[in-house]
Amino acid sequence: MRRQRSARRDGWEKTIESQGLAYHRSAHPSGLDRPYWDEAVHYAFTMEEVLSLESQVEELHAMCLAAVEHVVAAGRYRDFAIPEWVAPEIEASWRRRDPHVYGRFDLRYDGRGPAKLLEYNADTPTSLVESSLVQWFWLKDVHPADDQWNSIHERLVDRWRELPLQTGPAHFAWTNMDETGEEAMTLGYLQETAEQAGRATVAIAMEDIGWDSRALRFVDMEHRVIRTLCKLYPWEWAVADPFGPRAVRGQVSMTWIEPLWKMLLSNKALLALLWELHPGHPNLLPAYLDGPRDLPAHIAKPLLGREGASMRVVTPDGAHSTEGDYGAEGYVYQEFRALPDFDGWRPVLGAWVVGDEAAGLGIRETSGLITDDTSSFVPHRIAL
């Protein structure tokens, strides 16, 4: 694993915008010296590294599925701050094996040892467009003789094709709360992969979904019954909304992507449970729900936090916190191991899973201790 510099392509901004990364300006805070998409640098991997990472990611995913089974069998929903009324529906969703499509593991990796799990974005993962499309086209333009850990697009199309969806079009819903356009473009891309798989699709805003009180079903603006809904609206938000009970209890008559049981995998209490079930596993960091225990350095992560908000790093040298409104639901305390330093920048690897198979890699860099919305996305290649 090496960090290398390269010249930006002429007109790179218009190029990536034409490929779907229209939000690269709006999704990045203003006033930063570095753009969100930064192709002036990239990471080069060997094929042996990538094959090893693929194997590690698939093992982590299998461990996560086993953790869901453990929570359901033992009824450990309270550890995840899951409302009691939701728990039976999560169990039913899991027992039915409601279909899932994709997720993204965030990993610490320095090229010298096993990857360490930082969190699993299993319900509403983003950075999909740049991981699947934009960096692939960069590779073809700049390093056409090399390869990339990236079969995301093909696997998404295949996954939509094999899913046992109900009849009628699949609806893809963004929320009007998204001011950057990232959510709309991500869902538009997912919609495109479903169409390439031969699925009929409809785009809709979450705010435009209605409830038919006679049929007891959700409907779109044309009064069509919604039988499949792909959304980037977190389940914890949906559960707290007025329509939440209808969404949760109507699982059996409607396919949600991602399914309700993914609430357990998108919750950072998962980190403590995995360490409990697999203590000392080479891909895990020690993590606990009742406090940092004897960890010499730790990071407190809110169970439902996003974009690095409301976190606190405590080391023998001091403490560092990020702003945010998360944390009322509780925290997990994970051993803090700083991201590896490459020329003053710290990468976090976003390893994608489609279905149950490792599918590709996206990398974000930060100069600080915590990866947040100021980080930049950089491409990668496999040097052949």
Side-chain angles (χ1 to χ4, degrees):
M1 179 180 177
R2 307 184 308 278
R3 186 179 191 267
Q4 299 184 333
R5 295 189 173 275
S6 55
R8 294 188 176 102
R9 293 167 294 176
D10 291 338
W12 65 270
E13 297 100 328
K14 291 184 178 179
T15 297
I16 65 173
E17 288 166 7
S18 70
Q19 294 162 353
L21 199 55
Y23 51 85
H24 70 100
R25 304 177 200 271
S26 57
H28 208 43
S30 60
L32 299 178
D33 295 333
R34 231 184 142 185
Y36 170 66
W37 166 269
D38 191 0
E39 60 183 59
V41 297
H42 68 274
Y43 283 84
F45 295 82
T46 66
M47 183 62 75
E48 290 75 16
E49 283 180 303
V50 169
L51 292 175
S52 176
L53 285 168
E54 282 186 328
S55 176
Q56 293 173 59
V57 167
E58 292 188 357
E59 182 175 357
L60 282 170
H61 179 66
M63 290 162 56
C64 289
L65 296 181
V68 175
E69 176 62 31
H70 173 80
V71 172
V72 170
R76 296 184 61 179
Y77 300 99
R78 187 168 296 180
D79 289 340
F80 291 74
I82 300 291
E84 288 186 11
W85 66 271
V86 180
E89 302 299 339
I90 290 179
E91 178 175 355
S93 174
W94 174 247
R95 294 299 181 210
R96 287 192 304 268
R97 294 299 191 267
D98 288 346
H100 62 290
V101 174
Y102 70 136
R104 191 192 78 229
F105 285 102
D106 282 352
L107 306 171
R108 182 198 185 277
Y109 180 70
D110 58 11
R112 293 186 295 274
K116 299 292 186 179
L117 175 63
L118 302 177
E119 63 181 80
Y120 190 12
N121 300 274
D123 183 20
T124 58
T126 52
S127 76
L128 181 62
V129 174
E130 44 270 57
S131 297
S132 179
L133 294 181
V134 182
Q135 68 169 342
W136 177 257
F137 289 122
W138 166 85
L139 179 77
K140 296 294 100 179
D141 285 346
V142 181
H143 295 280
D146 284 342
D147 203 352
Q148 193 174 84
W149 182 12
N150 190 357
S151 59
I152 300 171
H153 184 88
E154 295 81 3
R155 290 183 184 273
L156 283 172
V157 173
D158 289 344
R159 185 61 175 162
W160 286 116
R161 187 176 289 125
E162 68 190 17
L163 287 182
L165 300 183
Q166 301 185 42
T167 59
H171 287 69
F172 289 75
W174 71 93
T175 172
N176 291 327
M177 292 187 294
D178 172 35
E179 298 178 351
T180 67
E182 179 178 14
E183 186 174 317
M185 293 302 297
T186 301
L187 280 160
Y189 172 60
L190 283 168
Q191 184 177 354
E192 180 182 341
T193 60
E195 289 175 348
Q196 290 185 17
R199 301 287 187 177
T201 69
V202 174
I204 191 172
M206 290 292 292
E207 291 81 359
D208 289 335
I209 295 175
W211 176 255
D212 186 327
S213 57
R214 292 185 178 181
L216 301 180
R217 300 291 295 271
F218 288 107
V219 295
D220 63 18
M221 296 291 285
E222 304 299 324
H223 301 285
R224 288 173 296 200
V225 171
I226 298 176
R227 293 182 170 87
T228 298
L229 182 69
C230 179
K231 46 75 179 174
L232 283 180
Y233 196 79
W235 267 114
E236 64 266 20
W237 293 5
V239 164
D241 277 350
F243 70 80
R246 292 168 178 164
V248 169
R249 292 174 176 139
Q251 291 288 300
V252 70
S253 62
M254 182 175 165
T255 300
W256 293 74
I257 303 297
E258 293 294 300
L260 186 63
W261 57 264
K262 280 287 191 86
M263 281 189 79
L264 299 175
L265 297 187
S266 61
N267 186 307
K268 293 179 184 62
L270 172 71
L271 301 172
L273 181 62
L274 287 173
W275 184 253
E276 175 189 325
L277 297 175
H278 308 276
H281 191 283
N283 294 126
L284 300 177
L285 293 169
Y288 309 101
L289 290 174
D290 58 358
R293 298 191 186 182
D294 58 351
L295 296 176
H298 73 271
I299 179 169
K301 299 179 177 181
L303 300 186
L304 302 175
R306 296 175 178 278
E307 293 286 355
S310 304
M311 292 191 179
R312 181 174 174 82
V313 175
V314 180
T315 70
D317 297 326
H320 172 76
S321 299
T322 59
E323 296 181 354
D325 299 323
Y326 300 100
E329 70 280 8
Y331 287 82
V332 65
Y333 302 86
Q334 186 183 47
E335 177 184 320
F336 176 72
R337 201 173 296 185
L339 294 170
D341 188 321
F342 288 80
D343 303 324
W345 292 92
R346 301 179 182 275
V348 61
L349 272 58
W352 291 90
V353 171
V354 177
D356 297 313
E357 298 180 319
L361 175 68
I363 300 174
R364 290 172 295 153
E365 281 191 331
T366 180
S367 59
L369 296 178
I370 297 174
T371 306
D372 56 19
D373 62 355
T374 66
S375 63
S376 293
F377 188 100
V378 299
H380 78 278
R381 64 187 175 97
I382 301 172
L384 299 180

